[in-house]
Amino acid sequence: GRSCDKRGSLMIHEDATSDQVRVLCKYNCLYIQSSNANYSWVITLRGCYIEDLPLLSVKTERSYGFSLCIGELEHKHCKKISLYTSSLAERYEWVTLLLNLAKLEPSFDKRYSLHERIGEGQFSSVYKATSMQDGKQLAVKILTKSQLNDYEYDMLKREVYIIQLLEHPNISKYYE
């Protein structure tokens, strides 16, 4: 998987307000925290897309922006976050990094061969699978996102973000 470790300070503009935010890009996630710690977000970058934004004048500073579009375009959970840098060069650096991390991988059936089902829950089933790249045997959890309401969808995303960060010999490793 792609990996990065970049920190920075960006402006976020949402609902006619702006705030300085601290940003950390690590692994395939973007971690955003407001300067006053009123909120924080963890955003998985896989499948996101980036849009250019027009030049914005904030107070006396010029800001160069891009919009990070999170979620599936056709899905009801798509959200856009507008982020701004203080220079065009810094904007280019962030956009290039995020585009690289957000690139879509080949389709699931080109990467894995599914075998028998070994478990199931209300919104998912778990299967034995084989990676076509290296032949490794793994468990694959397949979710039915269309049955989730907004709250359940957000909780599922949060669970995945947390699992991505865990590394322990007694916890199954998260691959993607």
Side-chain angles (χ1 to χ4, degrees):
R2 293 173 189 87
S3 182
C4 72
D5 193 352
K6 179 173 174 53
R7 296 174 189 268
S9 185
L10 302 172
M11 289 294 293
I12 189 167
H13 298 281
E14 195 169 34
D15 301 326
T17 61
S18 64
D19 188 15
Q20 188 78 24
V21 294
R22 290 186 296 272
V23 179
L24 168 65
C25 187
K26 191 164 184 74
Y27 304 112
N28 248 12
C29 290
L30 189 66
Y31 302 86
I32 300 175
Q33 183 177 27
S34 66
S35 56
N36 56 14
N38 281 345
Y39 61 86
S40 60
W41 294 324
V42 179
I43 301 165
T44 187
L45 296 169
R46 182 176 290 120
C48 289
Y49 65 98
I50 310 291
E51 292 179 345
D52 284 331
L53 293 173
L55 181 66
L56 178 71
S57 293
V58 181
K59 299 178 185 163
T60 58
E61 298 178 13
R62 292 169 58 141
S63 297
Y64 302 87
F66 59 94
S67 183
L68 181 61
C69 305
I70 306 155
E72 302 160 34
L73 286 176
E74 302 81 24
H75 202 274
K76 64 181 178 179
H77 301 289
C78 185
K79 177 176 177 55
K80 291 185 181 184
I81 298 175
S82 299
L83 297 165
Y84 291 83
T85 64
S86 57
S87 74
L88 195 55
E90 184 182 17
R91 180 195 168 283
Y92 177 80
E93 185 179 314
W94 274 103
V95 168
T96 301
L97 173 68
L98 295 174
L99 281 173
N100 183 43
L101 291 171
K103 286 186 177 150
L104 298 175
E105 301 290 336
S107 66
F108 178 85
D109 60 339
K110 301 244 189 291
R111 294 176 296 159
Y112 301 100
S113 172
L114 282 185
H115 307 298
E116 71 270 11
R117 183 171 51 197
I118 57 175
E120 69 181 294
Q122 184 175 0
F123 302 113
S124 64
S125 295
V126 179
Y127 294 86
K128 284 186 180 180
T130 304
S131 168
M132 296 208 197
Q133 179 180 3
D134 58 15
K136 281 187 181 177
Q137 296 289 307
L138 5 120
V140 173
K141 185 175 188 176
I142 299 179
L143 305 162
T144 310
K145 295 186 288 187
S146 62
Q147 296 178 359
L148 301 176
N149 64 36
D150 289 345
Y151 176 77
E152 292 165 334
Y153 186 81
D154 288 341
M155 291 296 99
L156 173 65
K157 285 175 45 178
R158 188 174 299 227
E159 178 185 342
V160 170
Y161 300 145
I162 292 168
I163 290 170
Q164 285 177 324
L165 298 173
L166 297 175
E167 286 187 38
H168 190 276
N170 296 329
I171 298 175
S172 297
K173 182 170 173 48
Y174 174 86
Y175 288 97
E176 61 179 290

